[in-house]
Amino acid sequence: MSRKLVVGNWKMHGSRAQVGELLEALKAGSARAQGVGVAVCPPFPYLAQAVGLLAGTDIGVGAQNLAVETAGAYTGEVSGEMLADVGCRYVIVGHSERRTLYGEDSALVARKYKAATEQGLVPILCVGEQLSEREAGTTEQVVAAQLDAVLDLCGEAALASALIAYEPVWAIGTGKVATPEQAQAVHAFIRGRVARGADTPTLLYGGSVKPDNAAGLFVQQDVDGGLIGGASLDADHFLAICEAARS
Ligand code: PGA
């Protein structure tokens, strides 16, 4: 995997003014990310603004969630078709905050994954274990079950060249980044489980990636980029992480 991908997950942060400032700063500093795939995932209300501001650049836009359904009486939901319609390319599915705070189980995540692909979006499937699961030595079983839910619903080929983010839950927003060796080990496990022949997934690491630890992660053989939360809200930090993905 030569070209790395760095995706910013803004979570529930921002305002029209902040979105404008942050994206202008990313555009101005885009030389720092040369040769790296870059995308940002703002909250729903700012997606169209982001698509407009990033028109003509190489920076992609993604959403953080989608509904399973395409349209209909689903108050408060947003479909993949709508996301594609406003210019999104990506959508995050199965983020641990959706799984733990909003009760999304792996079966629902798989349905969202399927909906995203059917509606012309590239899903970023998030998987990862809780601290207790790592301590119990069950990381691989947990991640395998999360992957298998998608494989069972969408078929063996569905994940072969997918975009998958390994995000250990204990590393998200905690400042406790996985060591490069821990990330590499799980990434190698995921690749071994889903790659088929020449088709191989793009594997992002997420969880407390910062400018000072990004290079050590990105140099790992099976780490193809990052899904960046907190540090993606600061243009200089995000660009420094993109820079670390260049070598
Ligand atoms: P973090 O979040 O970089 O703030 O740990 C990563 C994520 O949740 O995608």
Side-chain angles (χ1 to χ4, degrees), residues 169-192:
V169 179
W170 47 270
I172 296 177
T174 59
K176 276 193 230 156
V177 64
T179 65
E181 294 73 25
Q182 286 172 323
Q184 166 58 26
V186 180
H187 282 222
F189 171 74
I190 296 172
R191 195 180 303 285

Side-chain angles (χ1 to χ4, degrees), residues 200-245:
T200 192
T202 298
L203 301 177
L204 310 180
Y205 168 80
S208 295
V209 179
K210 307 291 177 201
D212 63 357
N213 61 30
L217 291 158
F218 294 158
V219 87
Q220 299 300 310
Q221 189 186 340
D222 290 296
V223 178
D224 304 319
L227 181 56
I228 318 301
S232 71
L233 297 168
D234 180 302
D236 184 50
H237 288 184
F238 189 63
L239 287 167
I241 291 168
C242 293
E243 231 166 359

Side-chain angles (χ1 to χ4, degrees), residues 79-142:
S79 74
E81 199 169 83
M82 293 169 182
L83 299 175
D85 186 39
V86 299
C88 288
R89 175 163 162 69
Y90 303 98
V91 61
I92 297 171
V93 296
H95 190 280
S96 71
E97 286 151 16
R98 301 293 320 167
R99 293 179 191 261
T100 58
L101 302 175
Y102 299 97
E104 294 194 9
D105 61 15
S106 287
L108 177 61
V109 171
R111 291 172 68 213
K112 291 190 171 193
Y113 186 95
K114 187 163 188 269
T117 56
E118 286 173 354
Q119 293 163 24
L121 297 163
V122 178
I124 301 173
L125 174 66
C126 297
V127 298
E129 81 288 1
Q130 307 274 347
L131 182 58
S132 58
E133 294 165 333
R134 172 160 286 269
E135 287 173 347
T138 57
T139 297
E140 290 189 357
Q141 284 102 300
V142 169

Side-chain angles (χ1 to χ4, degrees), residues 43 75 103:
T75 301

Side-chain angles (χ1 to χ4, degrees), residues 5 29 107 131 150 207:
L5 176 65
L131 182 58
V150 176

